[in-house]
């Protein structure tokens, strides 16, 4: 049950008109009062003799009783209270009880003989009510409605338990501001799927991904087509910024600007600067960026680097200090944004949904200590500067590899948030992980199918040898893995590992031992990507022909080179 409080309106009649209007809004089917401050207020929805003016004048009477100069301009308090879609339909009597509890908890009308404000609760749909009140008590004072939104949320959590309704995860005040009713209605009129506030938040977040300076950040905003206003001190120092969508204007025809801090708590300019103030360039970032961008393999190389950085971050989130963990979780959001921005069309939608959902999990009251997350931020930068990836061959396969590693990082973030009692963040991370799982299935289907086909055509002697390596390295998991459909792809990968001059048992033990595999949908798939990343093998093998000679597979080209290097290190001819 979600209360959405708007404490600063000025037009009682305008709000009542909206609540009782049935021609414009699909869910306004039977507007009527379910409760009011006196239990007998006029109901324009059910009483043919009652009008909106009657109800307006009754509610506004304490306001109008004050002297003209003493009347508050912003005198209208309004909240909607909405049930979860999965909840049963509540009766008018139940909604009336909910309304009385909300106005008591928020200080609008405490009851028990204390002077309260006048209010009315209108129901015009099955799943929610609206409560409108005027912010002058019967004895002419302002009510004690400080933090009424938080108080309404706390009362809603109690109501959910008592009525057996869906229990919403409690928040901690770090969520981004929700769109207002006016913004939602405006977006609906303009035919937008989302409000400008939501679109701007996502665009700004993507512009931050991988940026290392004010110039890069504002350059990305301009490239995205946003209108930008900068706030400067008399000295000329940059203090903040506002952004607006082209075409989103107010009644005067002026662009509607939103400061970064109003989009999300971590999108103010000072908070953004914290990301690169601690030296976010990783040591390996000394290469020529222009050459990196123009290299045909840049997207695949960036995804390989991302997989490695993400894998190291999993260990930090599982075992690191809280402040450093919080920084890695926030940086993981940047990696998701960068991957979504540069991935092929068939995975882009799920990756964008994952990034959008994980945004809630990237903030908590644990303040992030920046600097230790530089490898993840560099990975995000490399993804952006590497450019768009194709959905096939090495680009597509390394995308699957990166998504696979990200799934475990996001899952680890969910567990960390759950241990800390961050209910909303944990839920958001779990939901993001599901989007990643769907994106992975799409990205991995072709490269794994190619590996599976190669594995099926391995000689029997090779297959038996790889099964033995599996049993030696991970005896507890071996039989489960051998029974998975992905075993053939893993067998082909183990053959490639061997051909590249590595010890399959040793590398497999390392790949399986770095983290538990119980949450993996397919242990075989996870081990395939870990092994191919660790051994430096091509992620995509669809163009390799498996020529069998005496029961031995031909080594991939990369494997042949790696074998020669390994033999040279061991002093072999």
């Amino acid at each position: 049950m979600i209360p959405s409080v708007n404490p600063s309106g000025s037009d009682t009649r305008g709000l009542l008109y909206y609540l009782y209007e049935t021609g414009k809004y699909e869910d306004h089917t039977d507007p009527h009062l379910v409760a009011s401050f006196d239990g007998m207020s006029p109901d324009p929805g059910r009483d043919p003799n009652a009008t909106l003016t009657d109800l307006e004048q009754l509610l506004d009477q304490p306001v109008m009783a004050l002297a003209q100069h003493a009347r508050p301009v912003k005198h209208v308090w309004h909240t909607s209270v909405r049930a979860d879609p999965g909840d049963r339909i509540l009766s008018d009597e139940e909604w009336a009880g909910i309304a009385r509890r909300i106005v008591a908890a928020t200080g609008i009308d405490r009851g028990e003989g204390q002077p309260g404000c006048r209010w009315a609760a209108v129901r015009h749909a099955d799943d929610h009510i609206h409560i409108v009140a005027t912010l002058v008590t019967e004895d002419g004072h302002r009510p004690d409605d400080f933090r009424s939104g938080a108080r309404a949320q706390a009362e809603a959590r109690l109501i959910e338990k008592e009525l057996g309704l869906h229990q919403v995860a409690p928040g901690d005040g770090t969520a981004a501001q929700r769109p207002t009713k006016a913004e939602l209605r405006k977006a609906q009129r303009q035919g937008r799927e989302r409000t400008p506030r939501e679109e701007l938040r996502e665009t700004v977040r993507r512009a931050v991904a991988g940026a290392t300076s004010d110039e890069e950040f504002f350059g990305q905003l301009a490239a995205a087509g946003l209108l930008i206003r900068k706030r400067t001190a008399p000295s000329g120092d940059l203090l903040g910024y506002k952004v607006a969508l082209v075409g989103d204007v107010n009644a005067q025809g002026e662009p509607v600007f939103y400061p970064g801090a109003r989009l999300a708590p971590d999108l103010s300019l000072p908070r953004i600067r914290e990301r690169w103030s601690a030296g976010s360039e990783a040591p390996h970032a000394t290469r020529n960026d222009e050459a990196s961008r123009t290299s045909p393999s840049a997207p695949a190389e960036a995804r390989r680097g991302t997989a490695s950085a993400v894998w190291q971050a999993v260990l930090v989130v599982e075992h690191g200090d809280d402040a450093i963990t919080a920084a890695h979780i926030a940086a993981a959001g940047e990696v998701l944004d960068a991957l979504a921005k540069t991935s092929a069309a068939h995975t882009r939608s799920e990756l964008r949904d994952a990034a959008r959902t994980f945004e809630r999990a990237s903030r908590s009251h644990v303040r992030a200590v920046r600097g230790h997350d530089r490898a993840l931020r560099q990975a995000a930068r490399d993804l952006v500067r590497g450019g768009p990836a194709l959905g096939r061959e090495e680009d597509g396969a390394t995308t699957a590899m990166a998504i696979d590693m990200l799934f475990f990082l996001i899952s680890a973030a969910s567990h960390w948030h759950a241990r800390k009692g961050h209910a909303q963040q944990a839920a958001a991370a779990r939901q993001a992980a599901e989007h990643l799982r769907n994106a992975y299935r799409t990205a991995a289907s072709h490269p794994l199918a190619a590996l599976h086909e190669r594995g099926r055509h391995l000689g029997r002697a090779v297959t038996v040898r790889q099964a033995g390596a599996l049993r030696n390295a991970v005896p507890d998991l071996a039989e489960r893995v051998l029974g998975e459909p992905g075993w053939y792809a893993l067998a082909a990968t183990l053959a490639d590992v061997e051909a590249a001059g590595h010890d399959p048992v040793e590398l497999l033990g390392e790949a399986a031992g770095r983290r538990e595999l119980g949450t993996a949908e397919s242990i075989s798939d996870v081990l395939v990507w870990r092994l191919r990343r660790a051994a430096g093998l091509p992620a995509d093998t669809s163009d390799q022909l498996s020529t069998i000679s005496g029961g031995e597979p031909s080594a991939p080209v990369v494997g042949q080179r790696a074998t020669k290097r390994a033999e040279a290190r061991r002093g072999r001819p």
Side-chain angles (χ1 to χ4, degrees), residues 471-533:
R471 290 189 176 97
N472 287 334
V474 285
D476 295 339
L477 297 173
E479 297 310 314
R480 174 180 167 184
V481 173
L482 290 170
E484 290 182 343
W487 157 243
Y488 286 113
L490 179 57
T493 294
L494 288 170
D496 290 346
V497 166
E498 187 177 32
H502 299 281
D503 181 348
V505 175
E506 180 182 351
L507 206 60
L508 187 57
E510 292 177 2
R514 293 290 298 275
R515 189 187 188 279
E516 57 86 19
L517 294 166
T519 57
E521 192 172 54
S522 169
I523 296 176
S524 305
D525 288 9
V526 175
L527 292 177
V528 162
W529 299 123
R530 292 183 187 179
L531 287 170
R532 302 197 79 82
R533 180 190 61 80

Side-chain angles (χ1 to χ4, degrees), residues 322-440:
D322 283 347
I324 296 175
T325 294
H328 279 74
I329 291 175
E334 291 191 50
V335 175
L336 279 172
D337 282 319
L339 190 62
K341 184 161 61 174
T342 58
S343 286
H346 67 305
T347 56
R348 191 178 305 141
S349 177
E350 287 286 359
L351 289 173
R352 283 181 174 176
D353 287 343
R356 188 180 301 130
T357 304
F358 188 73
E359 184 261 349
R360 179 65 189 97
S362 65
R363 292 184 303 274
S364 70
H365 283 303
V366 178
R367 188 64 179 267
V369 174
R370 294 290 184 172
H372 300 278
D373 59 340
R374 61 172 59 90
L376 279 181
R377 296 211 68 250
Q378 182 63 36
R381 180 177 176 82
D382 289 345
L383 287 168
V384 172
R385 297 182 74 81
L390 300 174
R392 58 183 184 274
E393 300 175 345
E394 193 71 0
D395 281 8
T398 51
T399 296
M401 180 186 293
I403 294 172
D404 180 67
M405 299 295 177
L406 275 166
F407 173 83
F408 283 98
L409 177 56
I410 300 311
S411 297
S414 176
H415 296 325
W416 182 81
H417 279 307
R419 291 196 303 271
K420 295 296 175 184
H422 306 157
Q424 289 188 359
Q425 291 91 333
R430 287 194 299 272
Q431 187 178 351
E434 286 305 308
H435 287 300
L436 286 174
R437 194 191 297 273
N438 294 336
Y440 169 79

Side-chain angles (χ1 to χ4, degrees), residues 52-66:
L52 291 178
T53 301
D54 294 334
L55 183 55
E56 173 205 5
Q57 290 178 346
L58 181 65
L59 295 177
D60 278 348
Q61 189 173 5
V63 179
M64 303 306 293
L66 297 175

Side-chain angles (χ1 to χ4, degrees), residues 257-312:
F257 282 89
Y258 293 81
R262 296 290 298 276
L263 298 176
D266 56 346
L267 292 182
S268 67
L269 188 60
R271 292 291 299 277
I272 289 173
R273 283 171 166 169
E274 288 178 7
R275 307 183 188 212
W276 54 72
S277 63
S280 53
E281 288 287 340
H284 69 273
T286 56
R287 66 185 181 280
N288 185 289
D289 279 334
E290 187 62 35
S292 172
R293 276 201 303 275
T294 57
S295 169
S297 61
E301 290 175 0
R303 279 152 175 75
R304 279 187 171 276
T306 295
S308 296
V310 167
W311 181 235
Q312 295 301 319

